[in-house]
Amino acid sequence: PRASHYFYVFDRLLDMHVPRLAAHMHEKGIFPSLYASQWFMTVFTYSFPLPLVLRIWDIFLHEGSKIILRVSVALLKQFELEYLAMHEFEHLVQDIKNIQYKVTPSSLIRMALSIKVTSRQLEALDHEYMELTGLQNITPSICSRAVRDEWMMQPPPQ
């Protein structure tokens, strides 16, 4: 259930940040489980260029798991116009699966960091997912990890 939870949250973030592309992909029957599994399971280490992976991991270790979602949204946002022009299912999925050959690390990281994903948003999406699936107390949820990560970054009380 954790993978489907992540896919759901990512899909909803696409709806929020790139709504036209999200609608286009839904219309074609293209959902995150078709292309993002490898991104999430390996935190981009499987096929992305090492300089990009190192930058993502630096942020991941410093800020926590939200960067995985932000980079994933940024990957699609960066090529939104190109993907909106594609109408064949196979071509679109194949291009997304090979996106690592098209990205420029610095522009992708800049775009990812400009995408606002708050713990409050993640918490709301967690609750939405739990209501839809009827699951209770998904642990650790995306939100609880994000909240924990933010809490860990707070300076100790004086």
Side-chain angles (χ1 to χ4, degrees), residues 113-125:
L113 293 175
S114 75
I115 294 170
K116 187 172 183 170
V117 176
T118 66
S119 295
R120 204 168 291 222
Q121 281 177 315
L122 294 177
E123 184 177 345
L125 293 173

Side-chain angles (χ1 to χ4, degrees), residues 22-121:
H24 179 68
M25 291 172 68
H26 290 163
E27 180 183 298
K28 302 290 178 211
I30 300 170
F31 297 96
S33 58
L34 290 173
Y35 59 87
S37 302
Q38 204 173 71
W39 300 349
F40 296 157
M41 287 191 290
T42 67
V43 190
F44 303 101
T45 58
Y46 182 75
S47 58
F48 282 78
L50 185 59
L52 176 59
V53 170
L54 293 175
R55 292 184 72 187
I56 293 170
W57 271 83
D58 279 346
I59 298 166
F60 176 70
L61 293 172
H62 182 261
E63 294 182 2
S65 59
K66 279 193 279 188
I67 192 64
I68 299 167
L69 294 165
R70 292 166 75 187
V71 167
S72 299
V73 171
L75 280 165
L76 297 180
K77 187 174 185 171
Q78 196 167 35
F79 300 101
E80 179 179 15
L81 295 177
E82 183 179 329
Y83 291 154
L84 285 170
M86 292 182 186
H87 297 288
E88 292 181 33
F89 173 92
E90 294 82 11
H91 189 204
L92 186 51
V93 171
Q94 195 59 36
D95 206 79
I96 294 170
K97 284 185 172 186
N98 291 312
I99 203 168
Q100 69 271 18
Y101 301 113
K102 298 167 53 169
V103 296
T104 305
S106 57
S107 64
L108 177 64
I109 295 297
R110 244 188 329 273
M111 184 174 286
L113 293 175
S114 75
I115 294 170
K116 187 172 183 170
V117 176
T118 66
S119 295
R120 204 168 291 222
Q121 281 177 315

